């Protein structure tokens, strides 16, 4: 791509639709990207507000006309960015020099004329955003995000001129100086372009940030969208916690509606226009009723996600490599239209080495108290003495190696952020300033804790752990931890497929980076117990519940739902969908719920719907519940969630599995029940497996093979029922052993029958990783797959590959 733009000395202003992406030296990264989108993507239906940009030539003309270059170079001769006072003094003096210098008359006329022309399109004294765009900015390996200033709701020629000069001065903010020095950019080779762009009236609606890659794990098939009420500065700066959405890109592009997750944020403040006083914008509190609603609709989420994919695809085509993007969006409250107001390359996950898996883990056992929790940023662990700072004016108190604890950060905090062992904030979501900078710096951060500055004291030793999923923990004390690195290109692929047992959707994206053939066991129980927490029948019968305590807790959990059962369907579908998407298009075997009656009773509202059984382990569990009149209404909700994952989200890699199915006839009854709710075996590629965990499953395996598409051996239940012992009883625990001859004969028998009937067969359990000889036995029998807990995948893969090679069975 070669721009047709020809610049002369008098080209102080250019309209955005005159600019292309390769004009970064002329108008900076931000403006070049806006021009690229207006020229190339508005014809594809993406809305971008019009405006104009002052050029690098305009900035250099301003500097030259006021003879500032020599003075500035002298000022920076002894710059020391590690000395906060030195940095602050140099920055303040540089900004003052620019702010007190007059605009050359010809430059001022050019800006005034352009703003007047913009008024012909949108109205006299139209409201505009005045944004800085440096010529070393929004590069694939250096974002420079938030280094210079932005001014919103600017009206009148005089205000535009004043804001442009303040943008020029912001080239020398403390954070911009520090960032350039750290990244190796010459302060005096960089110029400042200014964008004057029509405001989107998101103060009357909502705005936010979105990424075409998962910001924590680098999973590149998801769009992450954040949304809050009002102008977008609150989301960018981390003032409050926005709503978050994840959308799966591959099936979005095939016309499906794959919203994998929706997380309601507090959205406590709304930034709006200020109609009086000197400030142009102000924050107002958001009512509790509005906080409990999502800021945008699902249709708008999907539209934004589609635009994100279009933008990413366009920039990837231009650059010739995959180009994950960081995008700002806004909704106009007057017209209801969505707009893209900025797009830059994502510069953290896209720069990481993809062939090395790095895992942080606290040394066990962890007995230290948890001081606070929040949203985990990154997957690392950091520790050190805490430094609680409430105002940016006090950042000179910070010492390198401390953990920064504050309410929120903005770009003025960056000079000390790069020296921190970790960062903890009261406010913010996954796309706030603190989160973005922490990722770029490669340090752990926990944002949105709410109470961090009140529960943590300065000089207190703490450990910040982001290594256990989406919730990060701040522990008292400096705890030992380890870092494990695995070169993924050295992992062989054995004939026997190595799969994973995954129950927690929050870690599914991270686990998908492990070398595996998919998920051999996804348990619904984790999602139901940890995310839903409510018995399905309690939701279906909410109005008649007599347990007032449970009813109150359920009401709080389902506050957003007038239709209480829909809460169960939504949460379960999102959990299943996230796991299915993480490993797509590899198979993900989802086992239908297999709580025992006592475990169901422990869910909120569950006691009213569950019997008291002497031995729940061999009682009313698994298949026997699904078609029973006492529970099948609850199973219907499960089916609705599974159907949404496969049909609405397009995740046809999801395979269903029926647990504890005692007879082939019972299997047929379950399939019939599923079909009533739209899950018809064979339709849309739906496969249904059965757990092989009862002796009857082995003895009648040839008959079960006529009902189901495959088997998965549940070695725990098969062992206890073969040996006639309760695996939970300490009295007979010493007899529990999957390597027992009786168990191994049953396993060998069912593998042989599955092979003879053309059915897939795998095993899900810990035994193959605990006992190398058991793994060897399974491989020798020709089992199709072995599904393991994630921590055993690499070790067992290596062992099985070596075993197959020794036996002459390697690929």
């Amino acid at each position: 791509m070669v721009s047709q733009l020809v610049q002369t000395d008098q080209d102080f202003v250019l309209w955005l639709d005159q600019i292309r992406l390769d004009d970064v030296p002329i108008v900076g990264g931000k403006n070049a990207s806006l021009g690229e989108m207006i020229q190339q993507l508005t014809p594809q239906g993406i809305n971008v507000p019009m405006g104009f940009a002052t050029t690098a030539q305009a900035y250099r003309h301003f500097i030259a006309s006021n003879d500032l270059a020599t003075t500035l170079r002298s000022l920076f001769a002894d710059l020391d960015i590690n000395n906060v006072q030195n940095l602050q003094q140099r920055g303040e003096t540089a900004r003052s020099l620019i702010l007190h210098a007059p605009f050359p008359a010809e430059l001022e006329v050019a800006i005034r004329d352009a703003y007047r022309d913009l008024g012909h399109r949108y109205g006299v004294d139209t409201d505009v955003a005045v944004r800085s765009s440096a010529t070393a900015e929004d590069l694939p390996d250096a974002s420079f995000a938030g280094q210079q200033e932005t001014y919103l709701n600017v009206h009148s020629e005089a205000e535009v001129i004043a804001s442009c000069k303040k943008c020029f001065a912001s080239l020398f903010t403390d954070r911009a100086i520090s960032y350039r020095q750290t990244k190796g950019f010459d302060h005096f080779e960089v110029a400042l372009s200014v964008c004057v762009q029509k405001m989107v009236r998101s103060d009357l609606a909502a705005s936010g940030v979105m990424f075409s890659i998962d910001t924590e794990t680098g999973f590149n098939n998801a769009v992450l969208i954040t949304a809050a009420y009002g102008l977008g500065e609150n989301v960018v700066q981390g003032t409050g916690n926005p709503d978050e959405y994840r959308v799966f890109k591959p099936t979005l592009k095939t016309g499906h509606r794959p919203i994998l997750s929706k997380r309601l944020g507090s959205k406590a403040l709304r930034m709006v226009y200020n109609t009086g006083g000197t400030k142009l914008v102000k924050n107002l509190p958001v009512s509790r009723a509005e906080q409990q609603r999502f800021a945008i609709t699902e249709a708008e989420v999907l539209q934004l996600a589609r635009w994100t994919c279009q933008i990413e695809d366009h920039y990837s085509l231009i650059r010739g490599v995959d180009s994950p993007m960081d995008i700002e969006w806004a909704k106009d409250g007057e017209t209801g239209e969505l707009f893209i107001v900025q797009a830059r390359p994502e510069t953290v996950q896209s720069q990481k080495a993809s062939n090395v898996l790095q895992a942080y883990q606290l040394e066990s056992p962890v007995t230290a108290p948890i001081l606070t929790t929040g949203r985990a940023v990154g997957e690392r662990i950091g520790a050190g003495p805490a430094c609680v700072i409430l105002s940016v004016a006090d950042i000179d108190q910070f010492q390198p190696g401390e953990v920064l604890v504050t309410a929120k950060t903005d770009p003025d905090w960056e000079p000390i952020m790069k020296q921190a062992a970790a960062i903890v904030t009261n406010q913010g979501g996954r796309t706030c300033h603190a989160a973005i900078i922490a990722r770029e710096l490669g340090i752990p951060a926990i944002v949105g804790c709410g109470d961090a500055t009140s529960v943590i004291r300065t000089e207190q030793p703490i450990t910040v752990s982001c290594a256990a999923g989406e919730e990060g923990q701040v522990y008292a004390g400096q705890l030992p931890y380890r870092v494990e690195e695995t070169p993924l290109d050295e992992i062989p692929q054995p004939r026997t497929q190595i799969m994973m047992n995954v129950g927690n959707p929050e870690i599914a994206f991270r686990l998908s980076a492990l070398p595996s053939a998919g998920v051999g066991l996804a348990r619904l129980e984790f999602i139901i117990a940890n995310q839903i927490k409510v018995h399905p029948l309690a939701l279906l019968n909410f109005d008649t519940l007599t347990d007032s305590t449970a009813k109150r807790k359920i009401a709080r959990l389902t506050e957003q739902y007038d239709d209480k059962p829909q809460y169960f369907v939504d949460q379960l579908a999102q959990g299943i969908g996230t796991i299915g998407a993480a490993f797509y298009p590899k198979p993900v075997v989802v086992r239908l719920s297999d709580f025992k009656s006592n475990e169901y009773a422990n869910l909120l509202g569950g006691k009213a719907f569950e019997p008291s059984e002497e031995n729940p382990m061999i009682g009313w569990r698994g298949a026997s519940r699904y078609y029973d009149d006492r529970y099948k209404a609850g199973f219907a909700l499960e089916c609705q969630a599974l159907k949404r994952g496969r049909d609405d989200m397009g995740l046809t890699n999801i395979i269903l599995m029926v647990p504890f199915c005692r007879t082939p006839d019972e299997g047929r009854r379950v399939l019939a029940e599923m079909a009533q709710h739209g899950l018809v075996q064979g339709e849309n590629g739906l496969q249904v497996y059965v757990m092989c965990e009862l002796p009857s499953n082995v003895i009648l395996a040839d008959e079960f093979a006529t009902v189901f598409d495959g088997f998965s051996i549940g070695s725990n239940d098969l062992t206890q029922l073969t040996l006639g012992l309760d695996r939970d009883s300490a009295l007979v625990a010493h007899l529990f052993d999957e390597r027992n001859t009786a168990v191994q004969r049953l396993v060998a028998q069912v593998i042989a029958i599955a092979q003879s009937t053309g059915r897939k067969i795998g095993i899900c359990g810990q035994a193959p990783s605990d006992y190398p000889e058991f793994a060897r036995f399974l491989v020798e029998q020709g089992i199709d797959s072995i599904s393991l807990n994630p921590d055993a995948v690499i070790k067992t893969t290596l062992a099985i590959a070596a075993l197959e090679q020794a036996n002459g069975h390697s690929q």
Side-chain angles (χ1 to χ4, degrees), residues 528 534-541 565 568 600 603 631 633-635 637:
I528 295 171
V534 186
H535 195 290
L537 296 181
L539 293 164
L540 286 161
N541 298 278
F568 186 95
Y600 266 117
L603 295 172
Y631 185 75
F635 182 62
L637 300 183

Side-chain angles (χ1 to χ4, degrees), residues 199-265:
M199 284 284 291
V200 176
R201 291 302 304 269
S202 58
D203 61 308
L204 304 175
S207 58
V209 177
M210 50 198 186
F211 290 83
S212 65
I213 190 171
D214 184 67
T215 54
E216 304 313 316
T217 63
F219 180 73
N220 63 7
N221 273 338
V223 173
L224 171 68
I225 300 173
T226 62
Y229 299 119
L231 301 172
E233 292 300 294
N234 280 347
V235 176
V236 173
Q237 294 179 5
T239 306
N241 303 325
D243 300 333
E244 290 184 5
Y245 314 83
R246 279 201 193 104
V247 183
F248 186 53
K249 291 191 291 189
T251 57
L252 176 72
K253 293 178 179 180
T254 57
H256 293 87
R257 300 173 57 84
I259 298 178
L260 302 179
S261 65
K262 296 170 60 178
R263 182 188 292 266
L264 191 71

Side-chain angles (χ1 to χ4, degrees), residues 316-369:
S316 298
L317 182 63
I318 289 174
R319 295 189 172 113
V321 295
D322 288 344
S323 184
M325 299 297 290
D326 169 356
I327 302 165
E328 294 181 25
W329 65 272
K331 178 182 177 180
D332 194 303
E334 293 181 333
T335 67
E337 293 178 289
L338 295 169
F339 288 86
I340 301 300
V341 296
Q342 193 168 321
R344 63 171 72 90
E346 192 276 343
T347 58
V348 180
Q349 293 294 347
S350 56
Q351 301 299 310
K352 288 185 176 178
S354 59
N355 62 338
V356 176
L357 184 70
Q358 195 176 61
Y360 282 68
Q361 191 168 356
L362 288 169
E363 298 287 0
S364 298
V366 178
T367 58

